[in-house]
Amino acid sequence: MGVRTPKQFCSVLERPLISYTLQALQRVSWIQDIVVAVTRENMEAMRNIIQRFGHKRISLAEAGVTRHRSIFNGLKALAEDQPDCKLPKPEVVIIHDAVRPFVEEEILLRVVTAAKEHGAAGAIRPLVSTVISPSADGCLDHSLDRAKHRASEMPQAFLFDVIYEAYQQCSDYDLEFGTECLQLALKYSHTKAKLVEGPSELWKVTYKQDLYAAESMIKEKISQEICVVVNTKEEGSVGHLLKEVLKNELNCINITSTALDHTGGDIQNFLIDPCYSFICVNVVSSGLQETQKFLRKLEESCLSPLYPVVVVLVHCLDFTLVPLTQKMENLMWIRELAKEVKTKNVLLNGLLINYSQDEQKLQENLRQGASIIAALVKERSSALAGQLLVA
Amino acid sequence: MGVRTPKQFCSVLERPLISYTLQALQRVSWIQDIVVAVTRENMEAMRNIIQRFGHKRISLAEAGVTRHRSIFNGLKALAEDQPDCKLPKPEVVIIHDAVRPFVEEEILLRVVTAAKEHGAAGAIRPLVSTVISPSADGCLDHSLDRAKHRASEMPQAFLFDVIYEAYQQCSDYDLEFGTECLQLALKYSHTKAKLVEGPSELWKVTYKQDLYAAESMIKEKISQEICVVVNTKEEGSVGHLLKEVLKNELNCINITSTALDHTGGDIQNFLIDPCYSFICVNVVSSGLQETQKFLRKLEESCLSPLYPVVVVLVHCLDFTLVPLTQKMENLMWIRELAKEVKTKNVLLNGLLINYSQDEQKLQENLRQGASIIAALVKERSSALAGQLLVA
Ligand SMILES: [Mg+2]
Ligand SMILES: [Mg+2]
């Protein structure tokens, strides 16, 4: 795939891809245990990932030399007849790929429900390209009817006994050369899997372009929610103005605003979904100590290890009254503080907006400010943390 | 695909995807004519794209209601027996998708060469997912052996007479419901297409995640080449130091450096490949007029309509000798100039690097400067143009 690291260990926003997949699975409360098949050489790295990103309910099994041998080892960790099995045997088991991080609870529930009824079930997608069969001399033998075929994707779900029996009876040839679990259930357990249409986000991260796509999808996901923190003494003023412009600039984004004093101990309490972007308007940007207090609250809410958190300290002032460079000089502490919090995965920036008396110019500056905020939120570039920006 | 615009007209770096595909094709000198099948409602938009991005050798044909009818209309524009045909009949015709912008000359040459020998040829790729055949009740009927099947991709090439005859004889049913041109050549012209293994970059931009991937691939492509413009009077000094640090920061990137006086009339003359990133070190950053002269040269070389050009004006100075804010004040003209050149697709930024007397601190600042430059070059964020950044 043009990169040397196994793709599940490739870094996306400074976190290995497999950690996103584990996060997606452990978010689902009814999944009891997650068994990860890992090669011996990556075992230590995998343990570090689990510890660093706080993954729960994970057990490790040793990967085999082929895909099917790895899955079989994973199943053995759940089977009562295995001497070193420590996990309870489940009624249903889900089989998933480490390189499909965008799996949602809904499709998991649908394949599990179908597996309970049919014994086996798997997500499918329409074919993007026509599938053809080559002849021995590398020419077209025939092409398949796209309407009559589907791509078999993940997740798949099985009654545990159905798939475990299939693997126990599976020939060495199939363990070496087969790829499709649904086919094993059909061949060895005579179970016809139910096919469930899944979303396009289930695609398998395979090539370099897929890693790029995954990174953009993750960035988009965590940028959907923005929290604008305003100063209570300024109700109806600049923070609210900026919020309106932001809503226009970043359409479809959910913007909550709160007064700093109301956030109490846990900054996440008033937010419905976890939030990784905080725009503080004329609130804490005036003082180092208040900012440090705010950042400590953020740290206590424990968001930053999973995703980089963007914090923009916005300061609106009339550049004709206070010289810009003088104000910048007063805010130089942001540069030092940004260096410090970057180690905790917080990306801190200052933004000065020229609060012009001219209404039209003010609107223009607010728009520019909003588009700078949008870029900081969407791109989450750690190289630009600590900069003082001007609109 | 989660976006309303037909995907070939979706914007990537403020240019429609189809324009990248046309650019890839017209770069190939031996391609004589490019016929684009466009629906009547998009005809005017397509003409605007051709004019705005200076595409050459393009003719438009009206798209039909199905893929095959569109291709047939495109072929008619090249057929002698058609009354309104204005283009010469070619020996070989290539059929390609507007949503596969990363097609290279090499694969085009390989399918054309194979088509000359076999009458027809097409690019293929290994299957990423297993292909299955569902039964009428939505369950697995059987799964196909992945090793014995391939995905049929684009480009495909044909002797013109072979594919034109196939379309002339093609049944209405096939024109409505078929998708595979290689299959038509086999069925109606008894021509067995040669299959040619293509690179993964040929993938079809189909879903939102593919658009994200395409954008990142394009950004990566145009960031491979960076030109560091140095001041001749400073040979062996800061420009060269920065160049070395940049090489480490952006590994695999081709960095050319030149003295401003040597660039002569056309700034592209000394560059082997087109370059869209210019880092000017202690050269023009001191004066508005010199910068304007440099930017005019860039404009004359006509690069900017196709891609946003990044220009970073780097100024190294000892912050203990000259106060940072005073220097920033002197450089405020960059903000105004950036606004002006942004309309010409040039993204201008200033970067001040603290040229500390402490060797270790200096190296650290240069590294930070290089990582800021890397972010500006890779992300090409127009929202951040005009900012003065500090390392
Ligand atoms: Mg499979
Ligand atoms: Mg086809």
Side-chain angles (χ1 to χ4, degrees):
Chain A
M1 68 174 302
V3 284
R4 276 181 210 144
T5 320
K7 44 203 176 300
Q8 61 271 32
F9 292 112
C10 284
S11 212
V12 176
L13 286 178
E14 296 174 55
R15 180 148 70 102
L17 191 62
I18 192 171
S19 168
Y20 293 92
T21 311
L22 293 178
Q23 190 194 352
L25 295 173
Q26 75 188 26
R27 247 191 324 239
V28 179
S29 59
W30 46 264
I31 293 181
Q32 272 176 311
D33 290 294
I34 301 168
V35 181
V36 185
V38 190
T39 60
R40 194 173 296 188
E41 61 188 332
N42 285 317
M43 203 58 93
E44 196 49 36
M46 192 64 228
R47 282 206 190 91
N48 288 337
I49 291 167
I50 291 168
Q51 212 216 323
R52 178 156 172 224
F53 300 106
H55 293 301
K56 308 281 179 220
R57 298 161 13 228
I58 314 275
S59 303
L60 300 182
E62 198 175 316
V65 285
T66 66
R67 171 179 154 79
H68 273 327
R69 291 195 189 277
S70 296
I71 295 172
F72 195 11
N73 287 352
L75 291 173
K76 283 178 187 163
L78 299 162
E80 291 160 326
D81 63 354
Q82 292 294 315
D84 51 350
C85 164
K86 283 165 211 134
L87 300 169
K89 191 190 94 166
E91 184 197 354
V92 174
V93 64
I94 296 168
I95 299 180
H96 192 63
D97 277 335
V99 291
R100 303 189 195 247
F102 303 107
V103 61
E104 297 277 358
E105 177 161 4
E106 200 227 337
I107 183 71
L108 289 164
L109 190 58
R110 281 164 64 217
V111 292
V112 164
T113 307
K116 282 187 183 171
E117 193 185 331
H118 296 263
I124 53 163
R125 289 283 307 156
L127 293 176
V128 170
S129 305
T130 302
V131 173
I132 56 161
S133 174
S135 55
D137 59 350
C139 288
L140 175 71
D141 186 79
H142 64 278
S143 81
L144 276 64
D145 188 343
R146 240 158 93 169
K148 290 184 185 151
H149 293 86
R150 296 287 181 279
S152 173
E153 310 285 349
M154 294 273 144
Q156 295 176 346
F158 303 87
L159 289 176
F160 184 83
D161 294 335
V162 164
I163 193 68
Y164 189 55
E165 192 188 302
Y167 272 100
Q168 280 177 306
Q169 294 181 13
C170 187
S171 71
D172 276 345
Y173 182 89
D174 280 343
L175 281 178
E176 285 304 313
F177 301 106
T179 57
E180 184 50 65
C181 304
L182 302 182
Q183 183 65 25
L184 294 189
L186 180 64
K187 183 169 173 186
Y188 293 104
S189 301
H190 313 290
T191 301
K192 273 185 89 168
K194 180 69 181 173
L195 305 174
V196 179
E197 184 87 20
S200 70
E201 287 79 9
L202 286 180
W203 103 102
K204 188 171 168 182
V205 174
T206 310
Y207 301 109
K208 190 172 67 174
Q209 63 257 33
D210 297 314
L211 267 184
Y212 285 145
E215 175 164 340
S216 297
M217 295 284 278
I218 291 165
K219 283 181 176 173
E220 189 195 51
K221 219 168 240 222
I222 58 176
S223 305
Q224 290 305 304
E225 197 83 30
I226 291 183
C227 178
V228 178
V229 183
V230 295
N231 193 323
T232 35
K233 286 156 209 136
E234 284 195 82
E235 278 294 337
S237 157
V238 53
H240 298 275
L241 257 175
L242 186 64
K243 200 180 123 185
E244 289 314 306
V245 186
L246 263 175
K247 272 190 184 160
N248 288 329
E249 183 73 23
L250 302 153
N251 47 354
C252 306
I253 284 195
N254 201 0
I255 301 181
T256 320
S257 77
T258 184
L260 187 63
D261 333 9
H262 298 166
T263 55
D266 188 344
I267 208 130
Q268 291 290 323
N269 273 352
F270 63 94
L271 295 166
I272 302 156
D273 292 311
C275 179
Y276 301 95
S277 309
F278 296 87
I279 317 301
C280 305
V281 187
N282 271 10
V283 182
V284 289
S285 47
S286 44
L288 169 61
Q289 284 178 349
E290 272 185 306
T291 308
Q292 281 174 322
K293 198 176 131 196
F294 175 77
L295 291 170
R296 260 198 309 276
K297 278 191 191 180
L298 266 188
E299 280 165 38
E300 283 160 16
S301 70
C302 230
L303 285 177
S304 47
L306 288 185
Y307 300 105
V309 174
V310 168
V311 178
V312 185
L313 306 177
V314 180
H315 221 93
C316 294
L317 67 158
D318 187 336
F319 292 1
T320 57
L321 301 178
V322 188
L324 175 58
T325 49
Q326 184 193 313
K327 189 68 201 173
M328 285 183 118
E329 190 132 30
N330 293 340
L331 292 173
M332 279 302 160
W333 55 266
I334 291 181
R335 291 170 45 74
E336 286 311 309
L337 185 58
K339 242 181 236 175
E340 190 193 314
V341 294
K342 198 166 149 177
T343 60
K344 293 161 190 162
N345 217 7
V346 175
L347 308 176
L348 181 68
N349 278 101
L351 170 61
L352 287 91
I353 299 181
N354 187 358
Y355 201 84
S356 175
Q357 299 302 315
D358 177 331
E359 178 62 29
Q360 202 189 325
K361 247 188 132 30
L362 173 61
Q363 280 303 321
E364 195 186 300
N365 296 344
L366 285 172
R367 262 199 307 277
Q368 202 201 337
S371 79
I372 289 172
I373 290 171
L376 294 172
V377 165
K378 283 183 185 164
E379 288 162 19
R380 276 168 215 263
S381 164
S382 71
L384 297 179
Q387 298 297 325
L388 295 182
L389 307 168
V390 180
Chain B
M1 68 175 301
V3 285
R4 275 180 209 144
T5 320
K7 43 203 178 299
Q8 63 270 31
F9 292 114
C10 284
S11 212
V12 176
L13 287 179
E14 294 172 59
R15 180 148 69 104
L17 192 62
I18 192 172
S19 169
Y20 294 91
T21 311
L22 293 177
Q23 189 194 353
L25 294 173
Q26 75 189 25
R27 246 190 326 238
V28 179
S29 60
W30 47 264
I31 293 182
Q32 272 176 312
D33 290 293
I34 301 168
V35 180
V36 185
V38 190
T39 60
R40 196 173 294 187
E41 62 187 332
N42 285 318
M43 203 58 94
E44 196 49 38
M46 192 64 228
R47 283 205 190 92
N48 287 338
I49 291 167
I50 291 168
Q51 211 215 325
R52 177 155 173 228
F53 299 107
H55 294 302
K56 308 281 181 222
R57 302 172 352 238
I58 313 276
S59 304
L60 299 182
E62 198 175 315
V65 285
T66 65
R67 172 180 153 81
H68 274 328
R69 291 196 190 277
S70 296
I71 295 172
F72 195 10
N73 287 351
L75 292 173
K76 282 177 187 164
L78 299 162
E80 290 160 326
D81 63 354
Q82 292 293 316
D84 52 350
C85 163
K86 285 166 208 133
L87 300 168
K89 190 190 93 165
E91 183 196 356
V92 175
V93 64
I94 296 167
I95 299 181
H96 192 62
D97 277 335
V99 291
R100 302 189 195 248
F102 303 106
V103 59
E104 297 277 357
E105 177 160 5
E106 200 226 337
I107 183 70
L108 289 164
L109 190 59
R110 280 163 64 216
V111 291
V112 164
T113 307
K116 281 188 183 171
E117 193 185 331
H118 296 262
I124 54 164
R125 288 283 308 157
L127 293 175
V128 169
S129 305
T130 303
V131 173
I132 56 161
S133 175
S135 55
D137 60 348
C139 288
L140 176 71
D141 186 80
H142 63 278
S143 81
L144 277 64
D145 187 343
R146 241 158 95 168
K148 290 185 185 151
H149 293 86
R150 297 286 182 278
S152 172
E153 310 285 349
M154 294 274 145
Q156 295 176 346
F158 302 87
L159 289 177
F160 184 82
D161 294 335
V162 164
I163 192 68
Y164 189 54
E165 193 188 302
Y167 273 99
Q168 280 177 308
Q169 294 180 14
C170 187
S171 71
D172 276 345
Y173 183 89
D174 279 344
L175 280 178
E176 285 304 312
F177 301 105
T179 56
E180 184 50 66
C181 305
L182 301 181
Q183 183 66 23
L184 294 189
L186 180 65
K187 183 171 173 184
Y188 294 104
S189 301
H190 312 289
T191 301
K192 275 186 89 168
K194 181 68 182 173
L195 304 176
V196 179
E197 185 86 21
S200 71
E201 287 79 8
L202 285 180
W203 103 102
K204 188 170 167 183
V205 174
T206 309
Y207 301 110
K208 191 172 67 174
Q209 63 257 33
D210 297 314
L211 266 184
Y212 284 146
E215 175 163 339
S216 297
M217 295 283 279
I218 291 166
K219 282 180 176 174
E220 189 195 52
K221 218 168 238 221
I222 58 176
S223 304
Q224 291 304 307
E225 198 84 29
I226 290 182
C227 178
V228 178
V229 183
V230 295
N231 192 324
T232 34
K233 284 158 208 134
E234 284 194 80
E235 279 293 337
S237 158
V238 52
H240 298 274
L241 257 174
L242 187 64
K243 199 180 122 184
E244 289 314 307
V245 186
L246 263 175
K247 271 189 184 163
N248 287 330
E249 184 73 23
L250 303 153
N251 46 353
C252 306
I253 284 194
N254 200 1
I255 301 181
T256 320
S257 76
T258 182
L260 187 64
D261 335 7
H262 298 166
T263 55
D266 187 345
I267 209 131
Q268 291 291 325
N269 273 352
F270 63 94
L271 296 165
I272 301 155
D273 292 312
C275 181
Y276 302 95
S277 310
F278 296 87
I279 316 303
C280 306
V281 187
N282 270 10
V283 183
V284 289
S285 46
S286 43
L288 170 62
Q289 284 179 350
E290 270 184 307
T291 308
Q292 282 175 321
K293 197 176 132 197
F294 175 77
L295 291 169
R296 261 200 307 278
K297 278 190 190 179
L298 267 187
E299 282 165 36
E300 283 159 15
S301 71
C302 228
L303 284 178
S304 48
L306 287 185
Y307 300 105
V309 173
V310 167
V311 177
V312 185
L313 306 177
V314 180
H315 220 93
C316 294
L317 66 158
D318 188 336
F319 291 1
T320 58
L321 301 180
V322 188
L324 175 59
T325 48
Q326 183 192 314
K327 190 65 202 175
M328 285 183 118
E329 190 134 29
N330 293 340
L331 292 174
M332 280 301 160
W333 54 266
I334 290 180
R335 290 170 46 75
E336 286 310 309
L337 185 59
K339 241 181 238 177
E340 189 193 314
V341 295
K342 199 167 148 176
T343 61
K344 293 164 189 157
N345 217 6
V346 175
L347 308 176
L348 181 68
N349 278 102
L351 171 61
L352 286 91
I353 299 180
N354 187 358
Y355 201 84
S356 174
Q357 297 303 314
D358 178 328
E359 177 63 28
Q360 201 189 326
K361 249 190 132 28
L362 173 61
Q363 281 302 321
E364 196 187 300
N365 296 343
L366 286 172
R367 262 199 307 276
Q368 201 201 340
S371 79
I372 290 172
I373 290 171
L376 294 172
V377 164
K378 283 183 184 163
E379 288 162 21
R380 277 171 214 263
S381 164
S382 70
L384 297 178
Q387 299 297 325
L388 294 182
L389 307 167
V390 180

